[in-house]
């Protein structure tokens, strides 16, 4: 389990089911970003496939859910089975919005904090760019340092 930002972690499906580890890290919510449904003790499963058919709406739902929980001071573990791809994509968007940085800079930070993030499916990149740009304009307003990203 890797800490990405304040109260935000990326982990595996097995870590999302490990109550001892969840208690150790004081995780409040597990959000499974999977192409199949699982049963989690503390969280939700959101359907997000690992292919180019994803649309902006698929990314906004988990990001908004996470933003609401993070702003309430809750600790979140993102997982996407054992691949890290979808969780890394959502973590990149969240980091971009929370830190008000471009998606490229956010991805570099995610990679440094969670090396398995480098395995993220490249099909996510256009949607990461689009979603992070939209949400940064909406939530960061005039603080935003980007132009056209």
């Amino acid at each position: 389990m890797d800490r990405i930002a304040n109260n935000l972690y990326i982990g595996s499906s097995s870590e999302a089911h490990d109550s001892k580890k969840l208690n150790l890290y004081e995780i409040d919510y597990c959000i499974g970003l999977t192409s199949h449904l699982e049963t989690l003790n503390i969280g939700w499963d959101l359907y997000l496939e690992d292919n180019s058919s994803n649309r902006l709406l698929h990314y906004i739902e988990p990001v908004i859910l996470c933003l609401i929980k993070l702003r309430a001071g809750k600790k979140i573990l993102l997982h996407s089975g054992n691949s890290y791809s979808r969780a890394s994509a959502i973590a990149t968007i969240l980091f971009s919005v929370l830190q008000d940085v471009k998606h490229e800079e956010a991805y570099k930070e995610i990679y440094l904090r969670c090396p398995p993030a480098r395995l993220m499916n490249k099909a996510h990149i256009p949607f990461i760019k689009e979603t992070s740009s939209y949400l940064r304009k909406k939530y960061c307003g005039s603080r935003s340092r980007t132009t056209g990203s």
Side-chain angles (χ1 to χ4, degrees):
M1 188 178 308
D2 296 293
R3 184 178 174 271
I4 300 303
N6 287 341
N7 296 338
L8 181 62
Y9 297 81
I10 293 179
S12 66
S13 178
S14 60
E15 290 171 318
H17 291 86
D18 183 341
S19 59
K20 287 182 183 177
K21 191 168 253 189
L22 295 174
N23 287 332
L24 176 67
Y25 285 88
E26 300 177 331
I27 300 296
D28 296 303
Y29 294 97
C30 293
I31 299 180
L33 304 157
T34 60
S35 57
H36 61 282
L37 296 178
E38 296 184 39
T39 303
L40 296 174
N41 295 330
I42 56 167
W44 299 276
D45 274 325
L46 300 172
Y47 185 77
L48 186 64
E49 283 192 35
D50 221 1
N51 64 44
S52 61
S53 69
N54 289 317
R55 297 290 178 256
L56 180 63
L57 183 60
H58 293 112
Y59 290 80
I60 287 181
E61 180 185 15
V63 171
I64 295 293
L65 175 63
C66 289
L67 285 172
I68 290 168
K69 297 300 180 189
L70 289 169
R71 288 185 172 166
K74 303 298 182 185
K75 287 189 177 180
I76 295 174
L77 170 64
L78 295 173
H79 81 89
S80 49
N82 290 312
S83 72
Y84 285 80
S85 186
R86 293 172 294 269
S88 298
I90 297 303
T92 300
I93 296 167
L94 284 164
F95 192 90
S96 175
V97 173
L98 293 169
Q99 301 298 318
D100 193 16
V101 296
K102 291 182 179 182
H103 71 281
E104 299 95 341
E105 186 177 336
Y107 177 71
K108 287 177 189 173
E109 284 297 320
I110 299 300
Y111 179 100
L112 288 173
R113 296 166 192 221
C114 177
R118 74 183 186 286
L119 303 174
M120 183 176 64
N121 187 324
K122 301 304 181 220
H124 292 295
I125 292 173
F127 304 105
I128 290 171
K129 181 179 179 181
E130 183 180 11
T131 307
S132 63
S133 176
Y134 170 78
L135 291 172
R136 286 180 55 234
K137 287 175 188 170
K138 182 172 178 65
Y139 288 99
C140 301
S142 60
R143 294 184 308 131
S144 184
R145 296 185 296 247
T146 57
T147 55
S149 68

